[in-house]
Amino acid sequence: MSPKRPQACYNPLSSNPQVEGIMADWQQVSGGITAPKGFQAAGIAAGLKPSGALDLMLILSDTDAIAAGVFTTSQVRAACVDYCRQRLEKRAVARAILCNAGQANACTGTQGWQDALESAAALAAALNISAEAVLIASTGVIGQRIKLEALKQAIPELTMAASPAGAEAAAKAILTTDLVAKSIALETHLSDRPVRIGGIAKGSGMIHPNMATMLSFITCDASVSPHLWQEMLGRAANRSFNQITVDGDTSTNDALLALANGQSRTPAITEPGPEAQKLEAMLSEVCVYLAKAIARDGEGATCLIEVNVTGAVNDAAARLIARTVAGSSLVKSAIFGRDPNWGRIAGAAGRAGVPLSKSS
């Protein structure tokens, strides 16, 4: 029997008061994924999981939102990943995110692809929006198709349940082997107006850098250009979800999707600058919080290890060393056994592929 995993919903945010040189002047607020203005959410039991637990999630923006995504680097990808990538390449705008739990719909061939299309179409019809405005995600057992009829029958209930109070249910509906839901919302001020970012995530096993078996959904009420929002999300992913590891395995369904609907009524951020830096710093903090919650909830985990690297020539080198140390079985076994053997850390750093000085 695996040891009991540590609680994943912890209070501290980043241990670093600065993110890429920006002082953290945001504050944590309630509301999770629906804390930003103009967002609703829902989570219901649609009969997709044999346990009868919540298993179907909706995030809905009241208006068109700029959409961005970061996905698994695996060559074996679920239908939902290819679907979202194609949608975002054509038009970086969305109104809704639909996620089912229970079946990954990965390695399911042309039938699985058709299931993805029909899922999006069913939600679009119920919301009276274009199917191109729907993004989808799936999590569960690889090789199993979505229980499509059960999903379609549940769509009316799902859309009726959507509300600003639906954040908690949405966070629970995406879970699989997770022990706890993972949710956060932060607020700052841009141009003297409040701006919020909310996020939820799931992930517990098959977790490793370059995306892993995880899903995360981000909402924001700032107004930001598509190319800038995508660039921000990519950098935030590299600072967070691409820096965690539990068991060294990656998977087929990983997706980080972010919507920004502009409902804060702040001036549009279209170019790099102080406002863009501030928004990106808060986005990164949300992602770091959720990434740590995933690692802390790792299957069989008993503690959370955070590796800080100083003196590296650049961020890429520091991240490579940190990932190698964090992923080392010898380092993890030493920490699990309460045996502070620093030699194992040094050994892992030495094989990371980063040149070290002679004094190291």
Side-chain angles (χ1 to χ4, degrees):
M1 180 179 294
S2 298
K4 182 180 179 181
R5 284 179 258 161
Q7 181 69 292
C9 292
Y10 51 97
N11 289 323
L13 297 179
S14 174
S15 59
N16 186 352
Q18 287 186 292
V19 180
E20 299 296 317
I22 304 297
M23 292 304 297
D25 64 349
W26 47 75
Q27 61 181 347
Q28 187 169 351
V29 295
S30 62
I33 200 74
T34 59
K37 289 183 180 179
F39 284 98
Q40 302 177 59
I44 67 169
L48 306 178
K49 289 180 180 177
S51 65
L54 301 181
D55 52 21
L56 191 62
M57 181 222 73
L58 170 65
I59 297 171
L60 178 64
S61 174
D62 294 345
T63 59
D64 283 348
I66 299 303
V70 180
F71 304 98
T72 180
T73 57
S74 174
Q75 294 185 53
V76 180
R77 297 183 299 272
C80 55
V81 171
D82 288 337
Y83 173 92
C84 287
R85 288 172 66 175
Q86 290 183 22
R87 285 283 185 260
L88 293 177
E89 285 173 2
K90 290 176 62 177
R91 187 166 180 257
V93 175
R95 283 284 306 277
I97 299 173
L98 175 69
C99 179
N100 72 278
Q103 302 85 41
N105 199 25
C107 304
T108 50
T110 56
Q111 289 181 317
W113 175 251
Q114 188 62 35
D115 291 345
L117 295 178
E118 291 190 33
S119 298
L123 179 64
L127 294 172
N128 195 28
I129 62 176
S130 167
E132 293 189 350
V134 176
L135 299 175
I136 61 173
S138 299
T139 182
V141 180
I142 294 172
Q144 291 188 4
R145 294 170 55 194
I146 301 169
K147 294 180 180 178
L148 192 59
E149 290 309 311
L151 183 148
K152 286 182 176 180
Q153 290 177 14
I155 289 293
E157 178 187 350
L158 182 69
T159 56
M160 288 288 291
S163 78
E168 183 177 353
K172 291 179 179 178
I174 63 175
L175 306 182
T176 50
T177 58
D178 308 61
L179 290 181
V180 295
K182 303 159 182 69
S183 176
I184 184 70
L186 300 179
E187 178 184 275
T188 192
H189 281 76
L190 299 177
S191 301
D192 296 323
R193 292 185 64 85
V195 169
R196 291 182 172 185
I197 297 179
I200 58 175
K202 66 82 52 183
S204 184
M206 296 179 75
I207 301 295
H208 193 61
N210 294 323
M211 301 294 282
T213 302
M214 54 143 286
L215 296 175
S216 183
F217 308 115
I218 306 291
T219 57
C220 176
D221 54 19
S223 178
V224 58
S225 65
H227 77 277
L228 207 56
W229 188 232
Q230 179 64 55
E231 291 172 359
M232 288 180 181
L233 189 68
R235 289 189 291 263
N238 284 337
R239 298 177 186 125
S240 57
F241 299 114
N242 282 340
Q243 285 299 117
I244 57 174
T245 182
V246 173
D247 46 28
D249 279 314
T250 60
S251 189
T252 56
N253 290 56
D254 319 329
L256 167 61
L257 297 172
L259 304 180
N261 67 6
Q263 292 301 294
S264 64
R265 305 303 181 191
T266 51
I269 301 173
T270 59
E271 298 295 338
E275 299 286 78
Q277 287 180 314
K278 193 173 183 180
L279 184 65
E280 182 176 337
M282 190 165 72
L283 173 63
S284 293
E285 190 70 353
V286 166
C287 291
V288 166
Y289 178 94
L290 294 172
K292 287 183 178 180
I294 288 173
R296 194 178 184 91
D297 196 25
E299 291 178 351
T302 57
C303 59
L304 174 68
I305 304 166
E306 184 172 341
V307 181
N308 294 305
V309 177
T310 60
V313 294
N314 53 40
D315 283 348
R319 289 173 184 160
L320 182 55
I321 292 172
R323 285 200 299 267
T324 306
V325 172
S328 166
S329 296
L330 288 178
V331 171
K332 289 192 284 188
S333 63
I335 293 172
F336 175 81
R338 308 300 192 265
D339 177 18
N341 186 338
W342 60 265
R344 294 184 178 184
I345 298 174
R351 65 176 174 81
V354 176
L356 303 178
S357 66
K358 293 182 180 180
S359 61
S360 298

